[in-house]
Amino acid sequence: MAISKEKLDKMLEVYPSKVKKSRKSHIMIKDGCETQTIEANTRTVPGIITNRGCAFAGCKGVVLGPLKDMIHIVHGPVGCAFYTWGTRRNKAKTEDPAKNFLNYCVTTDMQESDIVFGGEKKLMNVIDDVMEEFNPAAITLTATCPIGLIGDDMGAVAKSAEEKYGVSVLHFNCEGYKGVSQSAGHHIANNVLVDKIIGQGEKEQADSKYAINLLGEYNIGGDGWEIERILNDIGYEVVSVMTGDGSYEDLKNAHVAELNLVQCHRSINYIAEMLETKYGIPWLKVNFIGIDATIETLRNMAMYFGEQDLIDQTEKIIAKELSEIEGKLEQYKKITQNKTSFCFVGGSRGHHYQGLFAELGIETVLAGYEFAHRDDYEGREVIPDIKIDADSKNIPDLKVEPDPDRFRLRIPEKLYEELKAKIPLSEYKGMNADMADGTVIVDDLNHYETEEFIKIFKPDIFASGIKDKYVVQKMGIPAKQLHSYDYSGPYAGFKGALNFAADVSMSFATPTWNFIAPPWKGEPLLDGKIEKGAE
Amino acid sequence: MNAKNVNINPCHMCMPMGGVLAFKGIEKSVVVIHGSQGCSTYIRRHIAEHFNEPVDVGSTSLNEKGTVYGGEDNLKKGLENIIRVYNPKMIGVLTTCLAETIGEDIKRMTETFIKDTGLSHVQIIPVHTAGYSGSHSEGFFSSVRRILENTVIPSEPNGKIGLIIPNISPADIRELKRMMKLFSLPYVVLPDFSDSLDGVYQKQYLKLSPHGTKIKDIQTMSGLKAIIEFSATLQDDLSPGEYMKKEYGVPLYRIPLPVGLRFSDQLISVLREISGKKAPKMLLEERGRLLDAMIDAHKHNAQGKTLLYLEPEQLYATISLLEENGVGIVLAATGSEYSTIAKKEIRQKDRLFTGADFDLIFKEAEGQDIDFAIGNSDGRVLTEKRGIPLLRRGFPIHDRMGGGRILSVGYAGSIQLLDSITNMILDKKLTSYRQQMTEKLLEPLKNGAESRGESYGDKI
């Protein structure tokens, strides 16, 4: 099934003309013969039921939330804290279980009087309570909508708390109304992590020569742990993970790594760029979702370090991992092949999972991101062309300089350029390049369009979030929730691919779909026949 | 009241959450939340996960510009778009912390919108639900009250009985309706999300649920014979029923949720009084069955100790059921600070906590012998950290299926709740019985034999 421009036009006719024009610029039918652009990271149309969240969600919910050894104080009324409490399934373990604070939801729970008279005093009192009860090494303060408006100076409170307790207290002005989606919050969080945590550690060099940071991996369902297992087997030292199962203590020394791996480009590329400028650590776009993507990533990493023993060990581990899943994927493929999918997730998974779907014989016919920017679709080369609008200008851009003591070129410039031609160093080509002609790419897909596109394409599976999952299932189509994996995972790496195949197969093969039509379907409604002469 | 400043692991959510739940019970209605889009996204996500149903809520997606210059333009566009795409009969416009802090006058804005557009087929209900003005429980009732204030018109007596409910499960709503049918009494339930949040599978997905309280039925609630409102712990100025009594003189019965024998009896008494009818035989049989179950279960329950945290109405009613059957209450808590539950007759008033969080619950439960807890999924840490098993009740239940299908009201629902409670106690008892008996009886025998220089093993 495909869609023509005319059909798309008709579908959007329900909108008022201005909205139609706007939404049209966020939707493209892939045509490899044309240079196509897509609108992204612009304001959401009010009243169109979007899946997007807010800056607070991106900052506290996504980036900071997984940092396990910090207490995250949400400064505001209760809702925002409650709604980001343990909802992302980001797993974490600490050596001392008492220093794992992920199960806690801490808030100033502001009341009307706090809004009227200001909440700084309450915030300070809450920090006192937190120090007494948890004594954490570091604290984050995140702002919800009213904070900026009532003029609470979180920075001043953070400063006096730092003086009082001698611990790090970081504040994030991530009020929900900033920017156009959670993407603004990622950026705000990234800035503070680089400015206030990374580099605060004493370490001057890593423990081993293959030292990496894993960026943009949030350990949903244990993905990060599965990736780390493979990396450790090859001989890499994972200095820090940002931020799944991440810790303040590890982050402080992230500056010693030799290479940064970027899994989720959207949420964390700012840190990757800043660390390259400040410390000279190059970054490599990686993808651990899908078998081929994982293999390619591991080989690219080995090529970056360039040492034969690492290259050999990489091949050895790839062969070992493959042998352990050999043949097992085939049984699932019998069920999954020749099917089609929609793949609409947040800011990177919409792209990453297409390869894994393809390995299962599932063709992605529609894909998109909730809160991505144009570079996530069209590749980083469009970054200079992206217009900075008023909404993006509000997010401070942290300018970093090379660190006078710690900046060190990790590899010679000439080698860097040579490598750049072969592997995605400081490079991301975006989703569009990998999509076939005739497929549809949609930015900020909404509730109405979801339903309409499903009617047109009739996909066999829909990969999306919790909110839209039930709409899809009500339409009789299996939904695979890819934000927090529906109580499953890990899906990363080789074994993760197998888990994913099992979960997807189970959705296709559940006997339940056979019972939709009752056994009496097609039988006459009334038993018996009309007697002659009864009329 | 909770003396400290910090809230650690809250027991309550914010007002707009309750507002969305209330509007879900009105036919062909949709909510537009006036604020950052995070509010609507979070609320959709949490409701969807509890009910396993689609929950569609619009947002005016206020950004920095709207925050500085006011959000009227966004609200107008939001309303226009949602009307174009969804064609709702009713739109609830709920405010947020953001909208309230910048002082958005949504009443004037929505009136202007209606005047300018001349729309007559859609009703817009503005509700002030600042996240800092109360919990989701208060948001629920104030939204119901605003729906009435904006919808009801004077009408002829219609002989129907109105049931105004708190945030109970779709299964509970269905049970209340069944009781009314057994009584052969015509009724209007407000709000009624028994279908919209626990829908049947259908091939044709409808964007807006056609189920819920009919707007026509809400308009004519001024003609009701009486209103029964399950709001024993609600402050008067939030009570939808008090408004109807004051404005239209509709007789009002404010009673607790019919959980347990006494509170179910109270509902039956009120129905008898209003209708002049005797209680139907089937309900009397169910009462007898509940009583029988209570007698059978009392010996187990009298040995049980529990802690519970629920929304105020559920809390009050569940305490009553526990007291009736002799279950010990180590502590009872609610996250709401505004309910009047503390003024109610409760045996162990000193163990009742309002404005509670889980930090307080943990501290108050410290060193206490507790068999099980009753409350929403967020109490799972009680199991993880203290080994206290959790009987999942209330909202939200996001780590188990069927939150919307849990039945606790009426005689029939009370039996189910009672059995679940007894079985929690039995489960603990039966899994630890052997070990306890060994420690209590067998070990002393063995020790005694050994101290006498005998080999205990030889004797048995």
Side-chain angles (χ1 to χ4, degrees), chain B residues 107-144:
Chain B
K107 186 166 182 290
R108 182 196 58 76
M109 288 177 191
T110 49
E111 280 167 5
T112 311
F113 176 82
I114 290 282
K115 212 174 104 207
D116 292 353
T117 53
L119 286 170
S120 56
H121 63 281
V122 56
Q123 200 179 351
I124 301 178
I125 318 275
V127 192
H128 293 280
T129 47
Y132 46 77
S133 297
S135 73
H136 61 299
S137 314
E138 284 80 47
F140 184 94
F141 277 115
S142 37
S143 297
V144 175

Side-chain angles (χ1 to χ4, degrees), chain A residues 453-467:
Chain A
F453 278 123
I454 286 177
K455 283 184 197 155
I456 293 166
F457 281 97
K458 301 186 174 61
D460 297 298
I461 189 162
F462 187 105
S464 189
I466 293 172
K467 300 179 296 285

Side-chain angles (χ1 to χ4, degrees), chain A residues 380-394:
Chain A
R380 286 180 68 88
E381 72 230 37
V382 301
I383 290 177
D385 304 336
I386 296 177
K387 288 192 300 264
I388 307 292
D389 59 15
D391 300 306
S392 303
K393 270 188 203 142
N394 295 331

